[in-house]
Amino acid sequence: DKAFSSHLENEIKKVGLNPGASYGSSKRWYPSEFAKVAIELSSRYEILIFGSPNELDIANEIERILLQKGVKNYKNLAGRTNLNELLDYISKLSLFITGDSGPMHIAASFKIPTVTIFGPTNENETSQWMNERGVNIKKNLDCRPCMKRECPLKHHDCMKLVKSEDVLKAIENVT
């Protein structure tokens, strides 16, 4: 029985959400949009929310929205994993949705299908390396990539204009 339940556990697809970004607020996509993607995927995936102790606010906001919409098959791991645990969790994902971040590169090393949302940073310089199963989402704006920690124009359109539908469409190309 134990081997059987262990086998079943490995069959459950897991999607990782990584909403934080240590570089600055301009690299963060919105919790409400991450939540919309998670809600849409919740019938097919167990949801894991990642983040550092400094990113609890954004992870908790996603969790709040999931609970509000009746989604229960998630784990909020923000602030609860060390590096080895993070590596282990990411290595077992079926899909990873992230901003331009360190965990994005970890997912690339494991060849995890990944959708990365790029705002102010240059995807040609910092995107996943050698992961043919990675897709970048960005908006072509005159102001991007600005490479700033906070939006100098105060509109944050490079992230605000990226919608959950863009991510859901991109997922079709990597899974």
Side-chain angles (χ1 to χ4, degrees):
D1 277 330
K2 195 172 185 180
F4 180 71
S5 63
S6 172
H7 175 72
L8 280 179
E9 186 178 296
N10 291 335
E11 293 299 309
I12 297 170
K13 289 183 174 185
K14 293 176 175 66
V15 59
L17 306 180
N18 186 55
S22 60
Y23 177 77
S25 63
S26 65
K27 284 176 64 172
R28 289 185 180 181
W29 195 42
Y30 296 91
S32 59
E33 294 298 317
F34 268 107
K36 286 177 190 172
V37 171
I39 291 162
E40 190 68 31
L41 296 176
S42 66
S43 64
R44 295 177 287 155
Y45 295 88
E46 180 182 331
I47 299 153
L48 302 177
I49 306 168
F50 298 107
S52 73
N54 298 332
E55 298 161 345
L56 289 174
D57 57 337
I58 192 168
N60 290 342
E61 177 65 10
I62 293 169
E63 180 178 17
R64 187 187 66 72
I65 296 167
L66 293 180
L67 285 171
Q68 206 174 49
K69 297 294 185 180
V71 175
K72 294 185 175 85
N73 61 327
Y74 73 89
K75 289 180 189 163
N76 185 347
L77 299 171
R80 296 183 179 99
T81 57
N82 62 35
L83 183 57
N84 286 336
E85 292 165 332
L86 181 66
L87 289 165
D88 188 50
Y89 278 116
I90 290 176
S91 73
K92 295 174 180 156
L93 294 175
S94 302
L95 175 63
F96 194 49
I97 301 165
T98 183
D100 178 15
S101 63
M104 170 195 71
H105 296 290
I106 293 169
S109 71
F110 289 111
K111 306 288 189 223
I112 303 299
T114 303
V115 176
T116 305
I117 299 117
F118 277 89
T121 53
N122 187 339
E123 69 285 352
N124 296 322
E125 294 175 3
T126 61
S127 67
Q128 288 190 333
W129 184 64
M130 307 255 322
N131 186 5
E132 58 282 345
R133 299 181 76 195
V135 173
N136 298 331
I137 295 178
K138 65 181 178 10
K139 294 298 176 179
N140 293 318
L141 304 171
D142 291 340
C143 57
R144 84 158 292 283
C146 70
M147 306 301 286
K148 303 292 184 195
R149 290 180 188 269
E150 292 181 29
C151 178
L153 302 176
K154 308 287 187 231
H155 57 57
H156 205 218
D157 281 351
C158 62
M159 286 299 206
K160 209 175 273 178
L161 295 174
V162 176
K163 298 299 179 193
S164 59
E165 295 83 8
D166 299 320
V167 171
L168 292 166
K169 192 173 179 184
I171 288 168
E172 294 172 15
N173 297 323
V174 296
T175 56

